[in-house]
Amino acid sequence: MRENLNDIQFEEIVNMYSPELKKLAWRYVMDSYLVEDIVQEVFIKCYLHQEQLESFHSIKGWLYTITRNQCMDHLRTSYHQRVVPTSEFFIANEQTPESEVMTQQLGEEVHKQMNSLPDKYQEILYLSYMKDLKMKEIEKYLNINISTIKTRLFRAKRLLRQSMN
């Protein structure tokens, strides 16, 4: 930018792009407090380095790039990467006899409800989840379009969810 933004112009930019940048940051960090901090940092950088911007037309891309970079920096140096699991973590995540029985019962119920679905949906669920086949592999195996597979899988999961409730 040849000349610096005045305070009113900068405030308009903040008001215009803040919601979009918050959505972008949310996709990376998924923490509303961090999103606020990151977007605030982005606008501080924008204000301090506005002379690097060549025109008002490229500001959106510039802000998106700064936001993405701030998010990536946070994820690289984030607290969650420095945390070392303790023995309590592993004890809390161990299977207890009760949780094993509940998991088994849930699995049996899902299997029972899955068997009550129409054959074309059972087949897609079986190949996708039990055999762990990719869409391309299912396409070759059943000789049907991927879009049909996706539709059937979506409908099968919806029907299964409805029958489980």
Side-chain angles (χ1 to χ4, degrees):
M1 211 178 298
R2 305 249 185 255
E3 54 191 69
N4 289 345
L5 298 170
N6 65 37
D7 290 342
I8 294 172
Q9 290 173 320
F10 187 74
E11 188 175 336
E12 288 175 6
I13 289 171
V14 169
N15 291 335
M16 183 184 311
Y17 293 109
S18 189
E20 293 178 42
L21 296 179
K22 286 178 182 177
K23 288 178 189 174
L24 176 64
W26 176 260
R27 287 187 214 129
Y28 285 94
V29 297
M30 293 184 208
D31 180 332
S32 57
Y33 296 112
L34 280 174
V35 165
E36 292 292 330
D37 288 347
I38 287 171
V39 171
Q40 186 175 22
E41 283 291 319
V42 166
F43 285 119
I44 290 171
K45 284 185 178 186
C46 176
Y47 191 79
L48 294 175
H49 302 286
Q50 57 186 287
E51 68 280 349
Q52 293 176 0
L53 193 61
E54 294 179 17
S55 70
F56 285 112
H57 300 294
S58 62
I59 195 162
K60 182 177 181 177
W62 195 56
L63 289 171
Y64 270 61
T65 301
I66 295 171
T67 303
R68 184 176 40 92
N69 290 343
Q70 283 290 117
C71 291
M72 297 305 288
D73 287 347
H74 168 76
L75 292 173
R76 269 188 228 110
T77 61
S78 163
Y79 170 78
H80 70 274
Q81 290 182 344
R82 294 188 307 265
V83 172
V84 178
T86 62
S87 59
E88 291 90 23
F89 173 80
F90 295 109
I91 291 170
N93 290 318
E94 283 183 11
Q95 286 275 353
T96 62
E98 294 86 9
S99 65
E100 287 179 21
V101 169
M102 289 176 60
T103 303
Q104 183 180 2
Q105 288 175 343
L106 181 61
E108 289 170 1
E109 180 65 22
V110 168
H111 189 68
K112 178 181 161 193
Q113 294 299 328
M114 196 172 128
N115 286 336
S116 69
L117 296 175
D119 290 340
K120 63 183 181 181
Y121 298 138
Q122 283 184 40
E123 186 175 48
I124 293 293
L125 286 172
Y126 177 76
L127 292 173
S128 181
Y129 292 105
M130 304 299 189
K131 290 290 187 179
D132 201 28
L133 296 179
K134 308 258 185 280
M135 294 288 173
K136 286 279 190 192
E137 295 169 328
I138 296 172
E139 177 187 39
K140 289 177 184 173
Y141 186 79
L142 296 177
N143 198 25
I144 57 176
N145 292 333
I146 286 186
S147 58
T148 305
I149 294 167
K150 289 178 182 179
T151 302
R152 287 183 183 175
L153 188 58
F154 173 79
R155 290 178 181 166
K157 290 191 290 187
R158 185 181 62 204
L159 287 170
L160 193 57
R161 207 175 301 118
Q162 288 171 350
S163 67
M164 294 294 289
N165 289 334

mmCIF file of all heavy atoms in Angstrom, residues 28-54:
data_model
loop_
_atom_site.group_PDB
_atom_site.id
_atom_site.type_symbol
_atom_site.label_atom_id
_atom_site.label_comp_id
_atom_site.label_asym_id
_atom_site.label_seq_id
_atom_site.Cartn_x
_atom_site.Cartn_y
_atom_site.Cartn_z
ATOM 1 N N TYR A 28 -8.777 -24.575 12.022
ATOM 2 C CA TYR A 28 -7.468 -25.062 12.419
ATOM 3 C C TYR A 28 -7.389 -25.399 13.902
ATOM 4 O O TYR A 28 -6.918 -26.469 14.266
ATOM 5 C CB TYR A 28 -6.374 -24.028 12.098
ATOM 6 C CG TYR A 28 -6.022 -23.940 10.642
ATOM 7 C CD1 TYR A 28 -6.628 -23.011 9.817
ATOM 8 C CD2 TYR A 28 -5.078 -24.782 10.086
ATOM 9 C CE1 TYR A 28 -6.299 -22.918 8.476
ATOM 10 C CE2 TYR A 28 -4.737 -24.713 8.752
ATOM 11 C CZ TYR A 28 -5.358 -23.775 7.946
ATOM 12 O OH TYR A 28 -5.026 -23.705 6.627
ATOM 13 N N VAL A 29 -7.805 -24.476 14.781
ATOM 14 C CA VAL A 29 -7.542 -24.647 16.208
ATOM 15 C C VAL A 29 -8.743 -25.109 17.018
ATOM 16 O O VAL A 29 -8.577 -25.639 18.115
ATOM 17 C CB VAL A 29 -6.959 -23.357 16.834
ATOM 18 C CG1 VAL A 29 -5.624 -23.026 16.204
ATOM 19 C CG2 VAL A 29 -7.922 -22.197 16.716
ATOM 20 N N MET A 30 -9.948 -24.899 16.544
ATOM 21 C CA MET A 30 -11.185 -25.342 17.191
ATOM 22 C C MET A 30 -11.275 -24.959 18.669
ATOM 23 O O MET A 30 -11.629 -25.766 19.514
ATOM 24 C CB MET A 30 -11.375 -26.840 17.020
ATOM 25 C CG MET A 30 -11.627 -27.224 15.608
ATOM 26 S SD MET A 30 -11.970 -28.965 15.475
ATOM 27 C CE MET A 30 -11.389 -29.277 13.835
ATOM 28 N N ASP A 31 -10.895 -23.741 18.953
ATOM 29 C CA ASP A 31 -10.980 -23.212 20.305
ATOM 30 C C ASP A 31 -11.324 -21.732 20.178
ATOM 31 O O ASP A 31 -10.542 -20.950 19.629
ATOM 32 C CB ASP A 31 -9.645 -23.400 21.020
ATOM 33 C CG ASP A 31 -9.654 -22.876 22.442
ATOM 34 O OD1 ASP A 31 -10.410 -21.940 22.737
ATOM 35 O OD2 ASP A 31 -8.879 -23.405 23.256
ATOM 36 N N SER A 32 -12.487 -21.334 20.690
ATOM 37 C CA SER A 32 -12.971 -19.970 20.468
ATOM 38 C C SER A 32 -12.038 -18.913 21.065
ATOM 39 O O SER A 32 -11.879 -17.840 20.495
ATOM 40 C CB SER A 32 -14.386 -19.815 21.020
ATOM 41 O OG SER A 32 -14.420 -20.135 22.389
ATOM 42 N N TYR A 33 -11.410 -19.214 22.201
ATOM 43 C CA TYR A 33 -10.487 -18.244 22.794
ATOM 44 C C TYR A 33 -9.237 -18.084 21.940
ATOM 45 O O TYR A 33 -8.741 -16.971 21.731
ATOM 46 C CB TYR A 33 -10.098 -18.662 24.218
ATOM 47 C CG TYR A 33 -11.280 -18.658 25.157
ATOM 48 C CD1 TYR A 33 -11.775 -19.848 25.679
ATOM 49 C CD2 TYR A 33 -11.916 -17.479 25.506
ATOM 50 C CE1 TYR A 33 -12.864 -19.857 26.528
ATOM 51 C CE2 TYR A 33 -13.008 -17.475 26.354
ATOM 52 C CZ TYR A 33 -13.481 -18.665 26.872
ATOM 53 O OH TYR A 33 -14.557 -18.657 27.696
ATOM 54 N N LEU A 34 -8.720 -19.187 21.453
ATOM 55 C CA LEU A 34 -7.556 -19.123 20.574
ATOM 56 C C LEU A 34 -7.877 -18.407 19.276
ATOM 57 O O LEU A 34 -7.043 -17.663 18.743
ATOM 58 C CB LEU A 34 -7.046 -20.528 20.265
ATOM 59 C CG LEU A 34 -6.198 -21.190 21.328
ATOM 60 C CD1 LEU A 34 -5.900 -22.625 20.952
ATOM 61 C CD2 LEU A 34 -4.923 -20.418 21.553
ATOM 62 N N VAL A 35 -9.074 -18.644 18.759
ATOM 63 C CA VAL A 35 -9.494 -17.986 17.522
ATOM 64 C C VAL A 35 -9.450 -16.468 17.710
ATOM 65 O O VAL A 35 -8.918 -15.742 16.866
ATOM 66 C CB VAL A 35 -10.906 -18.453 17.104
ATOM 67 C CG1 VAL A 35 -11.498 -17.542 16.052
ATOM 68 C CG2 VAL A 35 -10.856 -19.886 16.594
ATOM 69 N N GLU A 36 -9.996 -15.998 18.824
ATOM 70 C CA GLU A 36 -9.984 -14.560 19.103
ATOM 71 C C GLU A 36 -8.551 -14.032 19.162
ATOM 72 O O GLU A 36 -8.239 -12.990 18.589
ATOM 73 C CB GLU A 36 -10.704 -14.260 20.421
ATOM 74 C CG GLU A 36 -12.193 -14.507 20.392
ATOM 75 C CD GLU A 36 -12.960 -13.547 19.506
ATOM 76 O OE1 GLU A 36 -12.522 -12.386 19.346
ATOM 77 O OE2 GLU A 36 -13.995 -13.960 18.969
ATOM 78 N N ASP A 37 -7.686 -14.749 19.860
ATOM 79 C CA ASP A 37 -6.290 -14.323 19.981
ATOM 80 C C ASP A 37 -5.593 -14.293 18.627
ATOM 81 O O ASP A 37 -4.866 -13.353 18.307
ATOM 82 C CB ASP A 37 -5.516 -15.264 20.915
ATOM 83 C CG ASP A 37 -5.901 -15.082 22.370
ATOM 84 O OD1 ASP A 37 -6.574 -14.081 22.694
ATOM 85 O OD2 ASP A 37 -5.546 -15.956 23.183
ATOM 86 N N ILE A 38 -5.808 -15.332 17.845
ATOM 87 C CA ILE A 38 -5.146 -15.424 16.542
ATOM 88 C C ILE A 38 -5.604 -14.309 15.619
ATOM 89 O O ILE A 38 -4.791 -13.640 14.976
ATOM 90 C CB ILE A 38 -5.381 -16.818 15.911
ATOM 91 C CG1 ILE A 38 -4.547 -17.857 16.668
ATOM 92 C CG2 ILE A 38 -5.049 -16.820 14.425
ATOM 93 C CD1 ILE A 38 -4.846 -19.286 16.308
ATOM 94 N N VAL A 39 -6.909 -14.072 15.562
ATOM 95 C CA VAL A 39 -7.428 -13.020 14.681
ATOM 96 C C VAL A 39 -6.939 -11.647 15.150
ATOM 97 O O VAL A 39 -6.589 -10.793 14.330
ATOM 98 C CB VAL A 39 -8.974 -13.090 14.583
ATOM 99 C CG1 VAL A 39 -9.534 -11.891 13.852
ATOM 100 C CG2 VAL A 39 -9.387 -14.379 13.879
ATOM 101 N N GLN A 40 -6.874 -11.443 16.450
ATOM 102 C CA GLN A 40 -6.342 -10.186 16.970
ATOM 103 C C GLN A 40 -4.884 -10.005 16.547
ATOM 104 O O GLN A 40 -4.477 -8.924 16.117
ATOM 105 C CB GLN A 40 -6.470 -10.154 18.483
ATOM 106 C CG GLN A 40 -6.085 -8.823 19.087
ATOM 107 C CD GLN A 40 -6.330 -8.780 20.580
ATOM 108 O OE1 GLN A 40 -6.404 -9.808 21.240
ATOM 109 N NE2 GLN A 40 -6.437 -7.576 21.111
ATOM 110 N N GLU A 41 -4.095 -11.078 16.646
ATOM 111 C CA GLU A 41 -2.698 -11.021 16.211
ATOM 112 C C GLU A 41 -2.592 -10.706 14.720
ATOM 113 O O GLU A 41 -1.712 -9.964 14.289
ATOM 114 C CB GLU A 41 -1.996 -12.352 16.492
ATOM 115 C CG GLU A 41 -1.607 -12.555 17.921
ATOM 116 C CD GLU A 41 -0.498 -11.622 18.369
ATOM 117 O OE1 GLU A 41 0.458 -11.391 17.602
ATOM 118 O OE2 GLU A 41 -0.602 -11.116 19.497
ATOM 119 N N VAL A 42 -3.493 -11.266 13.937
ATOM 120 C CA VAL A 42 -3.493 -11.024 12.491
ATOM 121 C C VAL A 42 -3.705 -9.541 12.208
ATOM 122 O O VAL A 42 -2.988 -8.936 11.405
ATOM 123 C CB VAL A 42 -4.582 -11.873 11.793
ATOM 124 C CG1 VAL A 42 -4.822 -11.402 10.368
ATOM 125 C CG2 VAL A 42 -4.197 -13.337 11.819
ATOM 126 N N PHE A 43 -4.671 -8.935 12.883
ATOM 127 C CA PHE A 43 -4.942 -7.524 12.634
ATOM 128 C C PHE A 43 -3.827 -6.624 13.164
ATOM 129 O O PHE A 43 -3.551 -5.575 12.591
ATOM 130 C CB PHE A 43 -6.306 -7.121 13.190
ATOM 131 C CG PHE A 43 -7.432 -7.628 12.329
ATOM 132 C CD1 PHE A 43 -8.369 -8.500 12.837
ATOM 133 C CD2 PHE A 43 -7.547 -7.250 11.001
ATOM 134 C CE1 PHE A 43 -9.403 -8.974 12.044
ATOM 135 C CE2 PHE A 43 -8.567 -7.720 10.195
ATOM 136 C CZ PHE A 43 -9.498 -8.585 10.716
ATOM 137 N N ILE A 44 -3.166 -7.039 14.223
ATOM 138 C CA ILE A 44 -2.006 -6.278 14.707
ATOM 139 C C ILE A 44 -0.904 -6.315 13.655
ATOM 140 O O ILE A 44 -0.313 -5.284 13.313
ATOM 141 C CB ILE A 44 -1.506 -6.831 16.060
ATOM 142 C CG1 ILE A 44 -2.517 -6.502 17.161
ATOM 143 C CG2 ILE A 44 -0.127 -6.277 16.394
ATOM 144 C CD1 ILE A 44 -2.241 -7.188 18.487
ATOM 145 N N LYS A 45 -0.647 -7.515 13.106
ATOM 146 C CA LYS A 45 0.364 -7.623 12.054
ATOM 147 C C LYS A 45 -0.037 -6.815 10.827
ATOM 148 O O LYS A 45 0.799 -6.188 10.185
ATOM 149 C CB LYS A 45 0.576 -9.092 11.667
ATOM 150 C CG LYS A 45 1.385 -9.847 12.672
ATOM 151 C CD LYS A 45 1.679 -11.260 12.204
ATOM 152 C CE LYS A 45 2.540 -11.947 13.249
ATOM 153 N NZ LYS A 45 2.992 -13.247 12.820
ATOM 154 N N CYS A 46 -1.311 -6.867 10.512
ATOM 155 C CA CYS A 46 -1.816 -6.113 9.362
ATOM 156 C C CYS A 46 -1.561 -4.624 9.557
ATOM 157 O O CYS A 46 -1.095 -3.934 8.653
ATOM 158 C CB CYS A 46 -3.310 -6.382 9.195
ATOM 159 S SG CYS A 46 -4.095 -5.429 7.880
ATOM 160 N N TYR A 47 -1.845 -4.130 10.732
ATOM 161 C CA TYR A 47 -1.670 -2.713 11.016
ATOM 162 C C TYR A 47 -0.190 -2.324 11.002
ATOM 163 O O TYR A 47 0.185 -1.295 10.448
ATOM 164 C CB TYR A 47 -2.298 -2.357 12.364
ATOM 165 C CG TYR A 47 -2.380 -0.873 12.606
ATOM 166 C CD1 TYR A 47 -3.389 -0.119 12.021
ATOM 167 C CD2 TYR A 47 -1.438 -0.236 13.397
ATOM 168 C CE1 TYR A 47 -3.474 1.241 12.230
ATOM 169 C CE2 TYR A 47 -1.503 1.125 13.616
ATOM 170 C CZ TYR A 47 -2.522 1.865 13.029
ATOM 171 O OH TYR A 47 -2.593 3.213 13.230
ATOM 172 N N LEU A 48 0.644 -3.165 11.585
ATOM 173 C CA LEU A 48 2.063 -2.849 11.672
ATOM 174 C C LEU A 48 2.790 -2.965 10.335
ATOM 175 O O LEU A 48 3.785 -2.278 10.104
ATOM 176 C CB LEU A 48 2.749 -3.760 12.705
ATOM 177 C CG LEU A 48 2.310 -3.566 14.158
ATOM 178 C CD1 LEU A 48 2.975 -4.599 15.047
ATOM 179 C CD2 LEU A 48 2.618 -2.156 14.633
ATOM 180 N N HIS A 49 2.301 -3.849 9.470
ATOM 181 C CA HIS A 49 2.996 -4.102 8.201
ATOM 182 C C HIS A 49 2.150 -3.729 6.990
ATOM 183 O O HIS A 49 2.328 -4.302 5.916
ATOM 184 C CB HIS A 49 3.401 -5.575 8.110
ATOM 185 C CG HIS A 49 4.281 -6.015 9.226
ATOM 186 N ND1 HIS A 49 5.597 -5.662 9.311
ATOM 187 C CD2 HIS A 49 4.020 -6.752 10.330
ATOM 188 C CE1 HIS A 49 6.123 -6.173 10.411
ATOM 189 N NE2 HIS A 49 5.184 -6.834 11.051
ATOM 190 N N GLN A 50 1.284 -2.769 7.141
ATOM 191 C CA GLN A 50 0.383 -2.425 6.050
ATOM 192 C C GLN A 50 1.110 -1.848 4.837
ATOM 193 O O GLN A 50 0.597 -1.919 3.724
ATOM 194 C CB GLN A 50 -0.708 -1.471 6.533
ATOM 195 C CG GLN A 50 -0.200 -0.192 7.139
ATOM 196 C CD GLN A 50 -1.291 0.642 7.719
ATOM 197 O OE1 GLN A 50 -2.053 1.226 6.957
ATOM 198 N NE2 GLN A 50 -1.394 0.680 9.031
ATOM 199 N N GLU A 51 2.313 -1.332 5.022
ATOM 200 C CA GLU A 51 3.049 -0.783 3.888
ATOM 201 C C GLU A 51 3.464 -1.876 2.905
ATOM 202 O O GLU A 51 3.754 -1.593 1.749
ATOM 203 C CB GLU A 51 4.277 0.010 4.360
ATOM 204 C CG GLU A 51 5.372 -0.816 4.982
ATOM 205 C CD GLU A 51 5.109 -1.199 6.442
ATOM 206 O OE1 GLU A 51 4.177 -0.678 7.066
ATOM 207 O OE2 GLU A 51 5.859 -2.052 6.946
ATOM 208 N N GLN A 52 3.468 -3.136 3.334
ATOM 209 C CA GLN A 52 3.825 -4.244 2.453
ATOM 210 C C GLN A 52 2.696 -4.578 1.474
ATOM 211 O O GLN A 52 2.931 -5.217 0.458
ATOM 212 C CB GLN A 52 4.150 -5.486 3.266
ATOM 213 C CG GLN A 52 5.388 -5.357 4.098
ATOM 214 C CD GLN A 52 5.628 -6.583 4.963
ATOM 215 O OE1 GLN A 52 4.858 -7.534 4.940
ATOM 216 N NE2 GLN A 52 6.698 -6.567 5.731
ATOM 217 N N LEU A 53 1.518 -4.157 1.791
ATOM 218 C CA LEU A 53 0.359 -4.444 0.948
ATOM 219 C C LEU A 53 0.383 -3.527 -0.264
ATOM 220 O O LEU A 53 0.564 -2.321 -0.140
ATOM 221 C CB LEU A 53 -0.926 -4.238 1.760
ATOM 222 C CG LEU A 53 -2.205 -4.770 1.174
ATOM 223 C CD1 LEU A 53 -2.110 -6.285 0.984
ATOM 224 C CD2 LEU A 53 -3.371 -4.460 2.074
ATOM 225 N N GLU A 54 0.189 -4.095 -1.448
ATOM 226 C CA GLU A 54 0.293 -3.299 -2.670
ATOM 227 C C GLU A 54 -0.996 -2.562 -3.017
ATOM 228 O O GLU A 54 -0.967 -1.498 -3.593
ATOM 229 C CB GLU A 54 0.716 -4.195 -3.832
ATOM 230 C CG GLU A 54 2.128 -4.729 -3.638
ATOM 231 C CD GLU A 54 2.556 -5.638 -4.758
ATOM 232 O OE1 GLU A 54 1.914 -5.614 -5.826
ATOM 233 O OE2 GLU A 54 3.526 -6.366 -4.566
#
